[in-house]
Amino acid sequence: MREKMASPVVGGRICEEFSLGYYGVCAIGGMLSAGTTHLAMTPLDVLKVNMQVHPLKYNSIPTCFSTLLREQGPSVFWRGWGGKFFGYGAQGACRFGLYEYFKKVYSNLLVDQKKSLVFFLSSASSEMIANLALCPFEAIKVRVQAQPHFGKGLADGFPKLYASEGVRGLYKGLIPLLGRNLPFSMVMFSTFEHTVDFLYQKIIQKRKDDCSRSQQLGVTCLAGYAAGSVGSIVSNPADNIVASLYNKKAKSLKLAVKNIGLLNLFTRSLPIRIMLVGPSLTLQWLFYDTIKVLNGLPTSGHVSRGIEGDESCK
């Protein structure tokens, strides 16, 4: 017998949708999913950062891997894991939890507007707050990964950076970080929402509530990979600038762009970034939606009334 998710009430649901408890579950789900997946991707992130900061020395993925392994040993590939886990966990809590909150708010305010506008506004609002939480961890992570003598990790890197540069040092890369993550988040959430809608309407051709949980989670994985891949291409230039600024390869945003070069902004480390972000976002969405399902809540991609017309729900 096929397993279904009833709507709007599911047995075992700990809270109703759009309640305070619901947003809490979304925040916890976002924190756990983002923190664990970014932690698992730390070795690839080490390669990416070093290729961005030292492009002449590390001009390919195999060269970067073999050189780092020979010069610094296997442990180098886990440098900065603390910043990855705690920083992106904090970002994930804000990104996913607040996105759900703002999507409900904007869908009620902008009833007659296109749903893409609601997705863009919701993701931008949540990402602004998420990056304030992430920025100090990112500053330490990039330094630790690209500068072997700076520190071993978060515990000794944080006091060292704060003592030498203060709060300004922790948030020096906030503008380029927002330049990377704002368009990424806006494109990622919008791509995810539209991909979910496309898969149900054009491929599966059934309402989400008529699909099994495994089918729904399968849709989540496909949409998550599409969202991560598209988002990584859009945000790659800013990602290169962030790495350059944090490692003092340039003193300003303008100099960073000049030193890297316009073409390199879009192409440098892009293949490894797609390898990093695509699977990472797929796992994030899968873990996030699994946590929601285990708490009796529907998977993501549902468009509230006022965004999606009644005809598309029939």
Side-chain angles (χ1 to χ4, degrees):
M1 183 176 179
R2 188 175 63 186
E3 182 184 12
K4 295 183 179 180
M5 292 183 65
S7 180
V9 179
V10 178
R13 176 176 294 185
I14 65 170
C15 57
E16 290 302 313
E17 283 188 83
F18 313 120
S19 65
L20 184 61
Y22 171 76
Y23 297 125
V25 170
C26 292
I28 293 172
M31 176 184 68
L32 295 176
S33 62
T36 53
T37 52
H38 276 279
L39 175 63
M41 295 293 179
T42 299
L44 281 175
D45 192 54
V46 170
L47 295 176
K48 175 185 74 72
V49 169
N50 278 276
M51 290 176 67
Q52 290 173 330
V53 177
H54 310 293
L56 297 179
K57 184 177 181 179
Y58 307 119
N59 54 16
S60 68
I61 296 174
T63 299
C64 185
F65 177 83
S66 60
T67 304
L68 286 174
L69 182 63
R70 183 179 66 253
E71 293 181 351
Q72 301 182 44
S75 62
V76 67
F77 297 108
W78 291 101
R79 292 181 70 90
W81 70 266
K84 294 282 287 182
F85 179 73
F86 294 106
Y88 284 92
Q91 183 202 36
C94 297
R95 171 183 280 177
F96 285 93
L98 290 176
Y99 173 76
E100 298 284 357
Y101 170 76
F102 283 121
K103 187 170 77 168
K104 181 63 175 175
V105 170
Y106 288 127
S107 67
N108 291 335
L109 292 175
L110 305 172
V111 176
D112 298 325
Q113 299 296 320
K114 292 183 178 181
K115 54 188 178 182
S116 293
L117 177 61
V118 174
F119 301 151
F120 285 148
L121 290 174
S122 303
S123 54
S125 299
S126 62
E127 196 65 26
M128 288 288 292
I129 300 172
N131 278 261
L132 291 174
L134 170 64
C135 196
F137 296 95
E138 184 75 357
I140 298 162
K141 182 209 69 139
V142 173
R143 291 284 188 89
V144 167
Q145 289 178 340
Q147 300 177 25
H149 303 295
F150 178 79
K152 295 181 180 180
L154 189 62
D156 61 339
F158 183 88
K160 186 174 182 179
L161 181 59
Y162 181 78
S164 61
E165 299 183 33
V167 175
R168 184 177 181 180
L170 295 174
Y171 283 93
K172 181 170 61 177
L174 180 61
I175 299 302
L177 193 65
L178 287 170
R180 180 189 75 183
N181 290 342
L182 269 179
F184 172 82
S185 185
M186 293 169 70
V187 171
M188 186 269 289
F189 276 109
S190 181
T191 301
F192 179 86
E193 298 275 8
H194 286 298
T195 303
V196 167
D197 185 60
F198 172 80
L199 289 173
Y200 281 118
Q201 292 195 31
K202 304 298 183 181
I203 306 300
I204 301 176
Q205 297 183 347
K206 289 191 296 185
R207 296 174 69 246
K208 182 164 68 172
D209 293 338
D210 294 330
C211 297
S212 67
R213 292 186 181 181
S214 59
Q215 287 175 321
Q216 292 185 31
L217 291 174
V219 168
T220 293
C221 288
L222 290 174
Y225 187 82
S229 298
V230 174
S232 64
I233 296 172
V234 172
S235 59
N236 195 60
D239 190 57
N240 279 301
I241 294 172
V242 168
S244 178
L245 288 177
Y246 275 137
N247 284 280
K248 298 183 178 180
K249 295 295 180 178
K251 294 183 179 180
S252 67
L253 183 63
K254 183 178 180 180
L255 285 175
V257 173
K258 183 179 179 180
N259 291 343
I260 296 171
L262 188 61
L263 180 61
N264 287 333
L265 278 176
F266 289 90
T267 59
R268 181 179 292 174
S269 73
L270 180 60
I272 194 171
R273 190 153 192 267
I274 293 177
M275 290 171 57
L276 176 69
V277 177
S280 176
L281 258 294
T282 304
L283 290 174
Q284 277 188 48
W285 279 108
L286 176 60
F287 290 172
Y288 175 66
D289 271 1
T290 299
I291 291 171
K292 291 174 71 174
V293 166
L294 291 175
N295 285 282
L297 298 169
T299 56
S300 302
H302 169 73
V303 182
S304 303
R305 291 187 65 182
I307 302 178
E308 184 179 60
D310 290 339
E311 287 300 317
S312 62
C313 297
K314 293 181 182 179

